[in-house]
Amino acid sequence: LAEACAPGIRAVLETGEPQRNIEIVSQTPAQPGTTRSWLEHLLPLRDEHGQVTGLSIVVEETTERRRAEAAVRESEERLRLAQQGAGLGIWEANLVNGTVSATGDMEARFGSPGGVSTGATSTFADRVHPADRPRVQRAVEVAIASREAFDIDFRVQLPDGSVRWVNCKGSAAFDVAGNPERVYGVNVDITERKAAEAALREADRRKNE
């Protein structure tokens, strides 16, 4: 631990400048085998002539914070993998400022290489098939008015002209005054399911004939 602190101490003594936010990750004799972390701030102490005569050292332990941050990153990575594997995306429309944000596999699958978008509209919203847009808009409006969840299947049209099916489940959130504030939802690519259903219907038709 002393070795980790030495470079910062030397820097203050040599330059006379404070050294802040020095991250130290080490083990201590008090807890052998346990890695802990600190943020160290080193401030010079000067005499009446301005010469550095000592140091004021402030140490902030960040072990638990780093662990919490690591846990959040791990959780986010698991969610990302789950979204990717399931062809799932999450979106949120802010009704106050008119912006839409989308994450997960949804945007990448339907046209946005980065996989994440935030703006006046999302890439995915622009991909909703023109014939289905009024029906989708109506479902959202009814959900807001009734304060109930919506569940709707619709088509999206990709830049290459191909069409895929999506199931969207979502609902609205309201502020303390009862005004609609946000609409959010989860989209799942159900193209294969729709194809299987169509094949089954065709098989039934042929059987009936």
Side-chain angles (χ1 to χ4, degrees), residues 43 101 105 109 115-116 125 129 136 145 169-170 173 178 190 208:
L43 307 175
S101 62
D105 190 52
R109 185 181 293 265
V116 178
H129 196 286
V136 173
K169 294 180 173 64
I190 59 169
N208 292 336

Side-chain angles (χ1 to χ4, degrees), residues 193-206:
R193 191 187 82 189
K194 286 291 186 179
E197 291 173 351
L200 182 60
R201 287 194 298 271
E202 177 64 14
D204 286 343
R205 183 188 65 80
R206 291 180 179 179

